């Protein structure tokens, strides 16, 4: 079970359930192995055809082809909720700028005006900044994709629960009502951000539950599986999703499931890379208790791979706010200076 991986597993979601509606044991076993041993896998058969994928990449490219002044009308420094457009080199990973620009969006909800002082994570809820005038087709295309990814994320969490010998609805309650999913349109550009070097995105783990990434054919994503010192490239498969697990599941299972470290190498100068990551995430006020693993699985738990400079938290809202404050220091300084000191 703990053999070092040398490739990213490939799973087919269309084979996840049998005709009677129960999860297929073979799929569950493959999912358990991928989730524990690697923390990453690629996924086909999730319901989207290539026309839908191509449409999403088309609006993504067209957004980043808009004049800079149009994109800056959506500058995330205007949003106290960390929504909108981030310029090249203005997102930071491990203290270094990333060689990418992006558009962050989430559920379209009103801002929370009043919340308890010990729950500042509510500030990440709010309206999106999307190009409704310059590119009106982007919103419906992206929101339709988010709806599909929400269904895929929920189905995968149900299968993960079964793989842990739990009821398939075990993780459902924290998502009921107002799941705080997040998504991005991302454009990697090499050779432009001098301080980034070859860093498209620095080494990190995701802080939610399940990440569903659609990547183009350029490549550059690399994974460092638990217990390994060898980075594994995630080779692009047309239309497939790259799936990885976040810190909330690692915390909940005491490290049986892995929030695996990964990074992106910037493309060569003159080459564009586009991706659309979607982060299936619970309500902001959800707190995830430890999972009652059966002894046979608990024996393989690795413990939490905690970084003292980036502690994993059982409160999803606290975990996600910590991530936003670190990744977008300019937004934090402008809108939330009182929170910076506690997250340095």
């Amino acid at each position: 079970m703990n053999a070092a991986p040398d490739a990213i597993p490939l799973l087919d979601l269309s084979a996840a359930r049998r005709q009677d509606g129960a999860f297929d044991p073979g799929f569950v076993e493959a999912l358990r192995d991928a989730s524990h041993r690697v923390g990453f896998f690629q996924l086909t058969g999730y319901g989207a055809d290539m026309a839908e994928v191509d449409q999403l990449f088309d609006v993504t490219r067209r957004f980043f082809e808009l004049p800079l002044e149009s994109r800056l009308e959506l500058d995330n420094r205007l949003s106290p909720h960390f929504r909108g457009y981030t310029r090249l080199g203005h997102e930071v990973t491990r203290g270094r700028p990333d060689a990418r620009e992006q558009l962050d969006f989430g559920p379209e909800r009103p801002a929370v005006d009043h919340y308890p002082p010990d729950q500042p994570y509510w500030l990440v809820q709010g309206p999106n900044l999307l190009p409704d005038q310059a590119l009106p087709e982007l919103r419906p295309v992206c929101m339709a994709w988010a709806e599909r990814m929400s269904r895929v994320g929920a189905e995968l969490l149900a299968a993960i629960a079964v793989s842990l010998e739990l009821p398939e609805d075990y993780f459902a309650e924290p998502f009921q009502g107002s799941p705080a999913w997040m998504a991005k349109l991302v454009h990697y550009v090499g050779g432009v951000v001098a301080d980034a070097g070859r860093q498209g995105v620095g080494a990190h783990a995701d802080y939610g539950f399940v990440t569903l990434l659609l990547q183009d054919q350029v490549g550059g994503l690399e994974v460092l599986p638990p217990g390994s010192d060898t980075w594994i490239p995630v080779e692009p498969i047309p239309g497939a999703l790259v799936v990885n697990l976040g810190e909330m599941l690692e915390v909940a299972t005491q490290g049986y499931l892995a929030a695996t470290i990964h990074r992106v190498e910037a493309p060569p100068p003159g080459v564009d890379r586009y991706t659309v990551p979607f982060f299936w995430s619970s309500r902001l006020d959800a707190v995830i208790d430890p999972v009652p693993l059966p002894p046979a699985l608990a024996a393989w738990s690795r413990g939490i791979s905690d970084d003292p400079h980036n502690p994993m938290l059982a409160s999803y809202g606290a975990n996600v706010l910590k991530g936003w404050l670190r990744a977008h220091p300019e937004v934090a300084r402008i809108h939330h200076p009182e929170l910076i000191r506690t997250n340095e």
Side-chain angles (χ1 to χ4, degrees):
M1 181 176 281
N2 274 350
D6 56 8
I8 304 301
L10 176 63
L11 279 69
D12 180 358
L13 191 60
S14 68
R17 292 187 184 266
R18 302 181 311 204
Q19 287 188 344
D20 63 2
F23 279 106
D24 179 81
F27 179 87
V28 168
E29 179 59 34
L31 176 63
R32 180 191 297 118
D33 176 70
S35 301
H36 168 72
R37 191 169 52 90
V38 191
F40 264 78
F41 55 92
Q42 299 211 58
L43 188 72
T44 59
Y46 59 91
D49 59 25
M50 286 307 299
E52 185 176 353
V53 169
D54 291 343
Q55 183 185 42
L56 182 61
F57 275 131
D58 179 64
V59 296
T60 298
R61 283 189 292 267
R62 289 165 62 196
F63 172 76
F64 292 111
E65 289 170 355
L66 290 173
L68 180 59
E69 56 267 27
S70 294
R71 284 174 277 153
L72 286 176
E73 291 176 0
L74 312 173
D75 195 324
N76 73 336
R77 292 173 297 178
L78 302 173
S79 171
H81 317 295
F82 300 92
R83 306 292 177 91
Y85 172 67
T86 303
R87 297 157 295 155
L88 275 168
H90 282 258
E91 182 169 16
V92 177
T93 306
R94 292 189 176 269
R96 188 175 184 181
D98 297 324
R100 66 176 181 172
E101 55 182 341
Q102 64 189 39
L103 181 68
D104 285 284
F105 61 98
E108 191 65 58
R109 298 180 184 136
V112 179
D113 294 326
H114 303 287
Y115 45 80
D118 62 345
Q119 297 179 13
Y121 51 75
W122 287 111
L123 64 84
V124 306
Q125 176 172 306
N128 289 306
L129 294 178
L130 295 175
D132 293 329
Q133 298 300 316
L135 192 60
E137 54 268 50
L138 183 143
R139 180 186 289 269
V141 169
C142 289
M143 289 304 184
W145 185 257
E147 288 182 12
R148 182 180 292 285
M149 293 300 97
S150 296
R151 294 191 295 270
V152 174
E155 180 75 344
L156 283 174
L157 266 184
I160 288 169
V162 172
S163 79
L164 300 176
E165 300 182 21
L166 300 167
E168 69 173 71
D169 64 351
Y170 183 86
F171 293 110
E173 194 284 328
F175 291 80
Q176 290 177 359
S178 54
W181 58 263
M182 301 178 295
K184 305 173 184 279
L185 307 182
V186 184
H187 177 210
Y188 292 90
V189 183
V192 175
V193 182
D195 291 341
R198 296 305 305 275
Q199 176 172 301
V201 174
H204 68 285
D206 292 345
Y207 38 72
F209 286 81
V210 177
T211 301
L212 307 168
L213 172 76
L214 185 67
Q215 64 170 343
D216 67 10
Q217 298 305 294
V218 173
L221 175 60
E222 299 177 331
V223 171
L224 187 64
S228 175
D229 57 4
T230 301
W231 290 91
I232 300 175
V234 183
E235 302 295 345
I237 298 174
L241 296 174
V242 180
V243 182
N244 65 280
L245 308 185
E247 294 174 346
M248 300 306 295
L249 289 176
E250 180 167 318
V251 168
T253 62
Q254 288 294 300
Y256 179 79
L257 299 180
T260 299
I261 298 294
H262 52 287
R263 67 187 182 189
V264 176
E265 186 175 276
V271 176
D272 299 296
R273 179 178 187 256
Y274 298 97
T275 66
V276 183
F278 177 90
F279 305 91
W280 179 232
S281 306
S282 68
R283 297 188 313 272
L284 288 169
D285 61 354
V287 176
I288 307 304
D289 294 325
V291 169
L293 290 177
L297 300 184
W300 291 97
S301 293
R302 290 171 286 248
I304 300 172
S305 55
D306 218 355
D307 180 343
H309 300 292
N310 181 33
M312 295 186 190
L313 306 172
S315 161
Y316 173 66
N319 217 38
V320 73
L321 178 59
K322 173 197 66 175
W324 281 121
L325 292 170
R326 289 179 179 275
H328 296 280
E330 287 183 278
V331 177
R333 284 194 295 269
I334 293 169
H335 296 285
H336 312 294
E338 74 284 0
L339 297 178
I340 295 176
R341 184 179 301 275
T342 59
N343 284 273
E344 287 179 344

